[in-house]
Amino acid sequence: MKTYPKIGIRPAIDGRQGGVRESLEEKTMNLAKAVAGLISSNLKNGDGSPVGCVIADTTIGRVGESAACAAKFEREGVGSTITVTSCWCYGSETMDMNPYYPKAVWGFNGTERPGAVYLAAVLAAHAQKGLPAFGIYGHDVQDLDDNSIPDDVAEKLLRFARGAQAAATMRGKSYLSIGSVSMGIAGSIVDPDFFQDYLGMRNEQVESIEILRRMEERIYDREEFAKAMEWTKKYCMPNEAADLNRPEKAKTRAEKDADWEFVVKMTLIIRDLMTGNHKLKELGFKEEAIGHNAIAAGFQGQRQWTDYKPNGDFSEALLCSSFDWNGVREAFVLATENDACNGIAMLFGHLLTNTSQIFSDVRTYWSPTAVKRVTGKELTGKAKNGIIHLINSGATTLDATGKQRKDGKPAMKPFWEISEKEVEECLAATRWCPANRDYFRGGGFSSHFLSEGGMPVTMSRINLVKGVGPVLQLAEGWTVELDPEIHKTLNERTDRTWPTTWFVPRLTDKPAFKDVYSVMNNWGANHGAISYGHIGQDLITLASILRIPVCMHNVEEDEIFRPAAWNALGMDKEGADYRACANFGPVYK
């Protein structure tokens, strides 16, 4: 089991002894216990363990108790806090003052004691002190002896907790660049100030040659390599597709067999670089056994590596999937072409959902008119207004085949919900194509499949804008299936060896979402991170915790949950978001 941050629950109370405080002790502590139970029974960490909660030893009525609570939270590894109360409290004395903790306050909506009055007062104190907090206030009045959590309150508590836990889990981790800038892609010009100031992360880097060194010096678990090759021969090599290269560029059978061994070793080594491997210590490689504490990574690949050696497509696809030769396990986040901006969007999606993430080129918008002209057929169903072709040679997780099932429908699930049968079906749906040697002179194998339609998904992306900093954009929508003849014609106009996902966004009256073309036309870069589920609200909440404004989204305004201080920056929500993020600035700067 890994070690994860916990969420601290702070039961705040009216500090006046002699009749007031005593009458509130049991009620206030029961609310804290109810919140802790709600979170731990509904939210899980990446390894499947429940999100842990720590409750203050006593209710918090004066500053000394606040200090004792803060000390306990430091000892217990708390990463965020939720303050709960059913009454008036001394705001500036009982508030959470840790500048790094995301924080929320639930003020019980009851008429007997003014919990709502405390909520308003302490939120004002948070804004005044530059420590923004999320305010949670139930829509309907509850009776004083009612310790249940109303549905609207529970929704906000869980939305905050998901975002806060994601932010706290990133803090102190690393992003590992394997190589450097790929083909002039701006997203792979890794900006350490963004990682340090906004995410609380450090940047690690190794040259790609470290992979070759570890291969040549056999710095990998040889027993695991044998196991991995046996698995690969059973599930991947039989699905090797026909070689589409020109005869003079096609590799021989012996060369392809050698490439299979190469890419399997490469997968082991990239994983070990990210997280370390205690088996290496047993082999005498103490330094290499440590790893880089990387919660996410990127592999440059093109072009220096791929002009020379087999590409990283197999490694990226397998590591980003929820399974390998060791069975089901938590998916890694490994960005193609070291596009760290897209890698971090993948990380956001992974931490919020515990599912694997799709990395894709946002390749082509196909209008209904263009489809009709090229194929002679019309788009129908959800695809009728046009489609976006998501395709990429690398880190498209095999989970994206859609062969997993939830309520009988295609899905991408946390690893602990995935059956062995579903793993085998994902593998069976994947063909491994000898790499296009016009692109990848060194060879290798690219995964090829077609995502099933009908999955709700959210595409997102972080972009860095000089003078503004990071901005987040997102588009909720669905995967769709096309008429097979339409798919074949459109798909074969690009690289036939890569995996395809057909995506349609949900259209709204917002300018960027008035039609499918506008979504494509407003997308800020060449890549997108695609997560299973409509998670736009959670991404927006997480972005506000990290002080990253959202420049484009199709989430309903009344579903957006940001810190209360954002309300003081104007009535237009998007403008207020930009002003608040600029005003309060990065959390870790």
Side-chain angles (χ1 to χ4, degrees), residues 29-178:
M29 191 57 80
N30 282 340
L31 289 180
K33 291 175 180 177
V35 171
L38 173 77
I39 291 170
S40 293
S41 61
N42 282 278
L43 301 184
K44 294 183 183 296
N45 295 307
D47 65 354
S49 62
V51 171
C53 293
V54 178
I55 302 175
D57 289 334
T58 68
T59 54
I60 301 167
R62 301 303 299 267
V63 71
E65 290 158 329
S66 292
C69 173
K72 177 180 182 179
F73 285 0
E74 287 290 330
R75 292 193 304 269
E76 295 283 343
V78 162
S80 59
T81 64
I82 299 174
T83 299
V84 301
T85 189
S86 61
C87 60
W88 168 256
C89 315
Y90 299 174
S92 63
E93 294 191 28
T94 60
M95 65 188 290
D96 169 22
M97 292 284 286
N98 188 309
Y100 295 149
Y101 289 171
K103 43 187 66 65
V105 183
W106 174 29
F108 183 82
N109 185 0
T111 133
E112 293 90 344
R113 299 285 187 173
V117 178
Y118 169 72
L119 175 64
V122 80
L123 290 176
H126 278 288
Q128 186 172 330
K129 292 177 179 291
L131 301 169
F134 289 77
I136 301 172
Y137 179 53
H139 187 272
D140 297 318
V141 171
Q142 293 179 257
D143 297 332
L144 187 60
D145 60 355
D146 181 2
N147 293 320
S148 67
I149 301 177
D151 290 345
D152 63 321
V153 172
E155 182 179 355
K156 289 184 175 180
L157 286 168
L158 292 175
R159 177 149 296 127
F160 167 78
R162 276 191 291 268
Q165 188 70 353
T169 301
M170 283 185 279
R171 188 165 64 240
K173 300 295 196 306
S174 303
Y175 177 88
L176 173 64
S177 295
I178 303 173

Side-chain angles (χ1 to χ4, degrees), residues 161-430:
R162 276 191 291 268
Q165 188 70 353
T169 301
M170 283 185 279
R171 188 165 64 240
K173 300 295 196 306
S174 303
Y175 177 88
L176 173 64
S177 295
I178 303 173
S180 184
V181 180
S182 174
M183 301 188 297
I185 293 172
S188 62
I189 303 173
V190 180
D191 184 343
D193 290 339
F194 163 60
F195 279 87
Q196 178 179 322
D197 295 350
Y198 286 88
L199 309 178
M201 292 174 60
R202 71 172 73 211
N203 294 94
E204 291 283 285
Q205 181 170 333
V206 298
E207 295 299 331
S208 303
I209 198 171
E210 174 65 4
I211 295 174
L212 297 180
R213 183 184 79 88
R214 293 193 182 204
M215 283 191 189
E216 291 177 8
E217 298 184 8
R218 301 185 73 200
I219 306 175
Y220 53 86
D221 183 343
R222 294 84 183 261
E223 291 182 359
E224 185 179 3
F225 170 65
K227 178 182 180 181
M229 279 306 306
E230 182 180 355
W231 182 88
T232 302
K233 289 175 180 176
K234 180 178 180 181
Y235 291 110
C236 301
M237 293 174 68
N239 280 350
E240 183 181 313
D243 195 333
L244 300 179
N245 288 293
R246 299 188 301 277
E248 65 272 19
K249 286 201 169 186
K251 288 195 172 187
T252 66
R253 183 67 260 165
E255 288 173 325
K256 290 175 182 175
D257 289 343
D259 281 358
W260 275 114
E261 292 195 3
F262 186 97
V263 298
V264 170
K265 288 178 185 175
M266 188 173 163
T267 306
L268 292 171
I269 290 169
I270 291 175
R271 182 204 63 194
D272 292 350
L273 283 167
M274 290 180 68
T275 62
N277 186 343
H278 70 277
K279 288 291 187 69
L280 300 185
K281 185 176 181 180
E282 297 172 11
L283 294 170
F285 302 108
K286 296 181 180 179
E287 182 180 359
E288 291 86 350
I290 298 171
H292 290 268
N293 194 36
I295 196 171
F299 176 64
Q300 175 192 338
Q302 298 188 68
R303 281 186 45 205
Q304 289 83 355
W305 179 274
T306 55
D307 281 359
Y308 172 55
K309 291 294 183 182
N311 64 21
D313 290 6
F314 179 86
S315 299
E316 292 169 1
L318 255 292
L319 287 170
C320 286
S321 298
S322 299
F323 49 83
D324 59 18
W325 39 83
N326 292 316
V328 292
R329 48 108 178 109
E330 182 179 3
F332 290 83
V333 172
L334 179 62
T336 301
E337 296 160 344
N338 195 30
D339 184 349
C341 288
N342 213 59
I344 289 305
M346 292 170 71
L347 180 60
F348 288 177
H350 175 64
L351 292 174
L352 290 170
T353 66
N354 295 317
T355 60
S356 64
Q357 304 293 298
I358 300 172
F359 181 115
S360 276
D361 282 353
V362 186
R363 177 62 69 107
T364 310
Y365 160 68
W366 280 99
S367 68
T369 301
V371 171
K372 181 70 179 290
R373 177 182 63 81
V374 169
T375 69
K377 295 194 169 190
E378 294 186 354
L379 295 172
T380 59
K382 274 187 163 39
K384 67 181 180 181
N385 295 313
I387 48 178
I388 294 175
H389 194 179
L390 304 177
I391 185 171
N392 184 262
S393 64
T396 301
T397 165
L398 304 192
D399 298 49
T401 57
K403 296 303 179 183
Q404 299 163 23
R405 288 291 184 267
K406 183 175 290 187
D407 299 324
K409 298 177 181 179
M412 296 166 61
K413 302 190 292 189
F415 76 88
W416 55 85
E417 296 179 8
I418 301 173
S419 69
E420 182 61 31
K421 182 175 182 290
E422 289 172 323
V423 170
E424 292 180 352
E425 289 181 351
C426 290
L427 289 163
T430 305

